[in-house]
Amino acid sequence: MTAPSLAAPSGTTPRLPAPTPRPGRHVLADAGAMVARSLRLVRREPDELVLGLVLPVMLMILFVYVFGGAMSVGTDYVTYATPGIVLLCAGYGASNTAIAVEQDMSGGIMDRFRSMPIVASTVLVGHLVASIVKNLVTTAVVLVVALLVGFRPVATPLEWVAALGVVAAYVVAITSVAAFVGVLVRSPAAAGGFGFFMLFLPYVSSAFVPPGTMPAWLRGFAEHQPVTSVIETIRGLLVGLGSDARPVTDLGTTAVLALAWCAGLTVVFLGGAAWAFARRRR
């Protein structure tokens, strides 16, 4: 009795056997390897890293010394604008993540990952963690520059921890959106276009001017979009002020709304990115 032939029918492409999945306990090891890879990619692109550190300095000088004199927000403009600049720089970092994910998806590296006995979707985890690390460094740069130009927070140590936690939650949310975009688009230019949207969104919020100064048709969007609630929470924690530069009276509701926005965006878009990732082929 002869053994069954494994040869592919004539005219068809033979299919390689699927790699044996690794046990669940190795998923963390796979994710750790992908995080290390993403961080090495950041180190190998010093121009992106330098721009990510220089951009906060340029934006702080621009808003405080160029625009600040013309803004009337009821307090020192650096005090009002610093939370917005933090989120603006985080948006820039997320746009770079979209480009990095797209380059992975359209490059040959993904074919190699899919042929290995690893959880290939941990590639997204690597980009997510690397984005958090980069954006927390950028946040530290923004705060240091802000302190040098007159930012004087009144937060307690616990409020500082809470504010940084909200920033981290926002970074996770927008990086999840960026990962979803990076999986869907088919070119780095299209992924880079996401950066424009993320840099534009904080401008139509309470980041740099009170929404009450905007036209009625725009005010509703500015007051109810996710960036505003995140900025209000960070501003309230660090300096105790709201969007109208008055003392905060109900920070708890705003903080819950901000975290709900971040959690919702993370679940929807990270889940969508994983779903699209599993189905996309070059």
Side-chain angles (χ1 to χ4, degrees):
M1 183 174 181
T2 59
S5 174
L6 297 179
S10 176
T12 63
T13 302
R15 299 183 62 182
L16 296 176
T20 304
R22 300 180 70 174
R25 64 179 180 273
H26 292 296
V27 173
L28 290 179
D30 293 343
M34 292 302 173
V35 169
R37 169 183 176 267
S38 296
L39 292 175
R40 285 195 298 270
L41 291 176
V42 173
R43 188 180 60 188
R44 292 173 184 173
E45 297 181 359
D47 52 345
E48 178 184 326
L49 184 60
V50 170
L51 182 58
L53 296 177
V54 171
L55 182 64
V57 179
M58 296 173 60
L59 288 175
M60 186 65 68
I61 293 174
L62 177 67
F63 279 98
V64 174
Y65 294 112
V66 178
F67 299 148
M71 300 291 187
S72 178
V73 294
T75 186
D76 291 339
Y77 193 66
V78 64
T79 299
Y80 188 90
T82 294
I85 297 175
V86 169
L87 297 195
L88 194 64
C89 294
Y92 169 77
S95 68
N96 290 334
T97 300
I99 296 173
V101 171
E102 194 286 326
Q103 289 175 334
D104 275 353
M105 296 302 299
S106 60
I109 187 66
M110 284 310 307
D111 293 335
R112 182 176 179 85
F113 287 153
R114 292 184 193 278
S115 68
M116 298 170 65
I118 63 173
V119 181
S121 60
T122 53
V123 174
L124 298 178
V125 176
H127 286 297
L128 182 69
V129 175
S131 177
I132 294 172
V133 172
K134 289 189 297 182
N135 280 287
L136 289 179
V137 172
T138 300
T139 298
V141 174
V142 171
L143 292 174
V144 168
V145 176
L147 290 171
L148 292 176
V149 299
F151 180 58
R152 296 296 178 264
V154 296
T156 64
L158 184 59
E159 289 171 334
W160 270 105
V161 172
L164 293 177
V166 173
V167 172
Y170 176 76
V171 169
V172 171
I174 61 172
T175 304
S176 300
V177 179
F180 179 71
V181 172
V183 173
L184 288 185
V185 300
R186 299 285 175 167
S187 70
F194 172 74
F196 173 79
F197 174 76
M198 293 308 302
L199 290 176
F200 174 76
L201 198 58
Y203 288 104
V204 193
S205 70
S206 64
F208 304 114
V209 295
T213 64
M214 300 178 184
W217 61 270
L218 188 59
R219 186 184 312 154
F221 175 77
E223 290 176 342
H224 297 96
Q225 62 135 312
V227 173
T228 291
S229 60
V230 173
I231 287 175
E232 293 298 291
T233 303
I234 298 171
R235 186 181 287 129
L237 287 168
L238 294 183
V239 296
L241 299 177
S243 62
D244 55 0
R246 296 177 183 176
V248 173
T249 58
D250 190 15
L251 182 59
T253 301
T254 304
V256 169
L257 181 61
L259 293 177
W261 268 115
C262 292
L265 291 172
T266 300
V267 170
V268 170
F269 285 98
L270 193 58
W275 176 86
F277 180 92
R279 286 157 179 79
R280 175 174 167 178
R281 296 293 185 271
R282 282 195 302 160

